[in-house]
Amino acid sequence: MMGSMLAGTEEAPGEYFYKDGVRLKRYRGMGSIDAMNSAGGSADRYFSVGDKVQVAQGVSGSVADKGSLKRYLPYLITGLKHSLQDMGRQSIADLQEGIYDGTLRYEARSGSAQVEGSVHSLHSFQRREF
């Protein structure tokens, strides 16, 4: 579920190429027709092996060079730590234990609740990625 975030990093598979002066790398989502039809592809994951008609559930394209994944690791680690803290868990093992013993439960959020929980009612805002 992190393919689009990892795409374009040095560690992602594929070769870089240039288009209009921008360094790019090809991206192929696992639900794309390209991925489903490739050798060892994802058609079985989407229950479409042998189907005459395949429906794409992803895209193929290209993404700009993002540099090394090492640049993003501190942010991913911190985000994971904050998530565990929000759930009152000490570690991933503790999280898994809570799932299996029933002390951690999931809550379904409606579309309205998701909108309410994000940035809203501002004239403008600026999101800084890094």
Side-chain angles (χ1 to χ4, degrees):
M1 299 303 293
M2 295 175 59
S4 62
M5 186 190 78
L6 301 175
T9 62
E10 292 175 10
E11 295 80 3
E15 300 296 321
Y16 287 108
F17 66 97
Y18 287 88
K19 183 174 182 183
D20 300 326
V22 179
R23 189 175 187 208
L24 303 169
K25 200 177 247 195
R26 298 210 186 286
Y27 172 73
R28 183 180 75 183
M30 290 307 292
S32 69
I33 296 295
D34 291 341
M36 285 192 270
N37 291 333
S38 68
S42 61
D44 59 338
R45 180 185 293 186
Y46 295 96
F47 307 108
S48 59
V49 173
D51 287 355
K52 291 181 183 178
V53 176
Q54 291 181 325
V55 177
Q57 296 181 30
V59 298
S60 295
S62 55
V63 293
D65 177 15
K66 295 179 182 174
S68 176
L69 180 60
K70 293 175 186 175
R71 173 182 170 205
Y72 299 97
L73 286 177
Y75 298 98
L76 294 172
I77 291 167
T78 301
L80 177 59
K81 287 179 179 179
H82 285 212
S83 298
L84 290 170
Q85 182 180 13
D86 290 346
M87 293 181 282
R89 299 295 165 170
Q90 299 290 317
S91 64
I92 293 175
D94 185 32
L95 172 72
Q96 291 171 328
E97 183 180 324
I99 292 168
Y100 294 118
D101 69 16
T103 58
L104 178 69
R105 299 185 320 162
Y106 294 95
E107 178 180 287
R109 295 180 68 210
S110 68
S112 296
Q114 291 176 35
V115 169
E116 185 66 25
S118 66
V119 177
H120 62 89
S121 302
L122 295 177
H123 179 269
S124 62
F125 73 95
Q126 179 180 14
R127 177 173 295 190
R128 292 182 49 197
E129 295 299 327
F130 295 99

